[in-house]
Amino acid sequence: METRDTSVEVAELIALLESQRQLYVRLRLLADRQRALILNEDTQPLLGLLVERQELVDKLVSLNERLGPYRASWTTIYSCLDEARRRHVAALLEESNAALGTIITNDNRDTATLRARRQGVANLLVGRIRHGNSSR
């Protein structure tokens, strides 16, 4: 990628970063809905939501590939931006990173909830098996 600050390159970079932020915000909202579905043990809607999440992740992967050339020359590109664009780009990156951090935190919490639930079911089954065997 050329490192000169052309209006087309900057416009494309900003459009990509805005798309990235929007996808992360949508993913965060789905993660919030996911939490409620897990707590309510609402399996069918949860499976549908996970399909939606995967679609957004696939879009983020594609977007990440398109951002690759900008990342490769990030220091030079960023230094060529005027102050207003730098602030705008920094804000977009901060919002995306904040959303990603929330998603990761929520997913870790949901994973722990599901593990605990799975362990509870396993313990219940083991108890029933033992109880069934001891009554024979």
Side-chain angles (χ1 to χ4, degrees):
M1 153 154 264
E2 291 183 29
T3 57
R4 57 191 166 87
D5 180 11
T6 67
S7 60
V8 173
E9 289 171 339
V10 170
E12 181 181 14
L13 171 63
I14 290 172
L16 290 171
L17 292 174
E18 287 174 345
S19 294
Q20 180 183 51
R21 178 196 57 192
Q22 182 181 33
L23 289 170
Y24 276 125
V25 167
R26 289 174 55 198
L27 196 57
R28 190 194 74 231
L29 293 172
L30 288 178
D32 293 343
R33 280 186 30 219
Q34 173 181 298
R35 178 72 177 161
L37 293 172
I38 288 172
L39 292 175
N40 292 325
E41 298 183 28
D42 206 349
T43 307
Q44 280 308 115
L46 177 60
L47 292 174
L49 182 136
L50 291 173
V51 169
E52 286 182 65
R53 281 191 66 170
Q54 186 58 53
E55 290 169 357
L56 292 178
V57 168
D58 292 344
K59 289 178 182 179
L60 280 165
V61 167
S62 175
L63 187 65
N64 193 45
E65 290 172 3
R66 293 177 58 200
L67 282 166
Y70 292 99
R71 261 194 314 282
S73 304
W74 183 251
T75 303
T76 304
I77 293 169
Y78 193 73
S79 67
C80 291
L81 296 174
D82 62 44
E83 188 59 33
R85 287 181 177 151
R86 265 193 218 136
R87 281 194 307 271
H88 184 58
V89 165
L92 291 170
L93 292 171
E94 287 172 17
E95 290 174 39
S96 291
N97 286 334
L100 179 58
T102 300
I103 292 163
I104 291 169
T105 298
N106 291 348
D107 282 353
N108 288 337
R109 181 189 60 207
D110 291 345
T111 299
T113 299
L114 291 170
R115 270 195 198 114
R117 188 172 293 148
R118 182 183 66 202
Q119 188 60 47
V121 169
N123 292 343
L124 181 65
L125 291 173
V126 167
R128 287 187 179 175
I129 291 170
R130 285 183 182 153
H131 177 70
N133 287 341
S134 67
S135 65
R136 290 183 188 187

